[in-house]
Amino acid sequence: MEFVCELYEIQRAAGRLFLHEHPSQASSWEEWCILDMLKVQTAIGHMYAYGLVTPGPDGVDMPAMKATRWMSNCPELLEALSQKCPKTHEHQMLRGSRARQAAIYTGEVQDAICTGLK
């Protein structure tokens, strides 16, 4: 974490952008170097709002919430990544292989990142 925070600071000092992502409840958000970087903005987005589904117990894809926290010095990027799920349906727990599958960004997340940067 310290190394990536050093890189973020180099990016910021040079007038360039950075983006950091971890699950919203991850303990890494409490690391001293991350807390120091929180001078910049953060946003929380639900990955199901960006199309995240994983196979359910019967093999049928089900919504997976995965609340994700983003940190960046680009407010437009954070705005694009802060969509929330309306929670009008059930979500499945992300455990085991489902958690691994949920680690891959959907095309919608990739599009949101590009849109925010534009």
Side-chain angles (χ1 to χ4, degrees):
M1 281 298 152
E2 290 178 39
F3 176 68
V4 296
C5 286
E6 287 175 26
L7 294 177
Y8 297 156
E9 192 54 49
I10 290 168
Q11 289 290 99
R12 186 168 62 174
R16 294 187 297 260
L17 303 174
F18 72 88
L19 178 65
H20 175 86
E21 172 267 325
H22 266 180
S24 64
Q25 300 300 315
S27 61
S28 60
W29 290 107
E30 299 302 318
E31 295 282 332
W32 71 268
C33 56
I34 294 292
L35 290 171
D36 189 48
M37 287 300 302
L38 290 178
K39 302 175 236 176
V40 299
Q41 297 176 336
T42 66
I44 294 177
H46 298 156
M47 292 299 101
Y48 178 66
Y50 300 93
L52 179 63
V53 293
T54 56
D58 58 0
V60 175
D61 284 348
M62 290 182 59
M65 172 81 77
K66 192 179 179 191
T68 301
R69 189 171 181 186
W70 305 86
M71 176 175 67
S72 180
N73 58 341
C74 179
E76 297 83 4
L77 192 50
L78 294 175
E79 182 180 340
L81 292 166
S82 63
Q83 290 185 31
K84 303 288 192 293
C85 176
K87 298 182 183 178
T88 56
H89 48 265
E90 277 189 58
H91 296 96
Q92 62 180 332
M93 300 298 290
L94 295 176
R95 295 189 180 127
S97 66
R98 280 191 224 123
R100 281 190 295 280
Q101 293 167 346
I104 299 169
Y105 289 163
T106 63
E108 290 92 337
V109 170
Q110 295 170 33
D111 290 345
I113 291 169
C114 291
T115 298
L117 288 172
K118 283 197 285 187

